[in-house]
Amino acid sequence: MFCDLYGTIFDIRTDEESPVVWEEMCRYMNERGARFPNGHELFEQYKELMAQAQKVGEEARGPFVEVDFVPVWSRLYGLGRARVDETTAYETSTYFHQISTILLEPYPKAREFLIVLRRKGIRPVLVSNAQASYTRPDLYEHRLTGLFDRIFLSSDYGIKKPDKRFFDAALEGCRTERSHVVYLGNEIGCDVLGATKAGLDAIYLHTPLSVPGDPATHPAAVLSVEGPDYDAVLSWLCDEDVMMVGDGTDARIVPREE
């Protein structure tokens, strides 16, 4: 099972434009040698560099380019008259994500869902539009890293869903066939339509982080579920009405009682 992350496994809320966040980033970067006058100026330069990186990326790789934010932070330090190594730029990107995140928690039973998938002989593989400098620390903090068989993040490949090339890279990396994979995600465009155009079955979770205005079901999905209802997903996989019981590593699948 190829899985999306944010909105599918994680519930997340962020505010990346908060003036408080950017004042803190100004302080953080100036402590490392930069000379930005204030958070507003830093934010404006950040937006400009991001727009430039996006344009260059689209010209090179097409409309579904994924810009790696770490080099952008490195160039931002340069504009602030500081030279930093890649580790510092990576840590700065991670710090920005952490202080701009208001909420980050796995959905209830998300961890158990990944555990019981493995017990059923299904490999959970993370295939997500995400920044490595954000996501790898998030997974580590919430003890989810080891629950995925493999991890494929769009910032590592320079392209993102719904680009077929990203799905193909994951298939090649897992050495598996399209017919052996189902994709689990919470967006119709990126996940359901992206996966089906890449020749994969797709399960649609209509969660609070799905695209506003998107319908609760979609005909291209083999299963549409309201909310992060992992029992419904497992029931589809098992071809019978089942549910999870137990917490953590004690989780298991049992038939649902009438």
Side-chain angles (χ1 to χ4, degrees), residues 129-193:
N129 287 355
Q131 292 291 312
S133 57
Y134 293 7
T135 299
R136 292 189 185 279
D138 286 348
L139 293 171
Y140 179 81
E141 178 185 353
H142 290 275
R143 296 176 288 112
L144 291 177
T145 307
L147 298 183
F148 290 102
D149 190 81
R150 295 287 304 275
I151 294 174
F152 299 90
L153 303 177
S154 56
S155 71
D156 291 332
Y157 291 85
I159 48 176
K160 62 185 178 182
K161 302 174 296 181
D163 196 312
K164 180 177 178 291
R165 292 173 294 175
F166 187 39
F167 293 99
D168 288 347
L171 288 164
E172 183 177 352
C174 292
R175 298 182 179 180
T176 191
E177 300 296 327
R178 297 174 204 278
S179 59
H180 296 170
V181 176
V182 62
Y183 192 89
L184 177 68
N186 73 301
E187 293 191 14
I188 291 174
C190 287
D191 298 330
V192 175
L193 297 181

Side-chain angles (χ1 to χ4, degrees), residues 202-215:
I203 295 174
Y204 174 45
L205 299 186
H206 183 244
T207 72
L209 293 181
S210 296
V211 176
D214 272 0

Side-chain angles (χ1 to χ4, degrees), residues 16-80:
E16 297 185 348
E17 298 187 4
S18 166
V20 174
V21 167
W22 284 99
E23 287 300 328
E24 173 58 19
M25 289 308 301
C26 182
R27 181 202 64 78
Y28 182 93
M29 295 179 71
N30 285 352
E31 283 188 351
R32 287 154 181 78
R35 301 178 184 177
F36 291 103
N38 53 61
H40 176 74
E41 178 65 23
L42 175 60
F43 181 40
E44 292 302 315
Q45 299 214 37
Y46 171 85
K47 289 191 294 182
E48 183 175 344
L49 285 181
M50 280 292 186
Q52 291 173 3
Q54 181 71 24
K55 181 179 179 181
V56 170
E58 287 178 357
E59 290 172 351
R61 297 187 292 276
F64 301 117
V65 61
E66 180 71 283
V67 173
D68 184 352
F69 292 175
V70 174
V72 175
W73 285 104
S74 182
R75 289 193 290 273
L76 194 56
Y77 270 108
L79 290 179

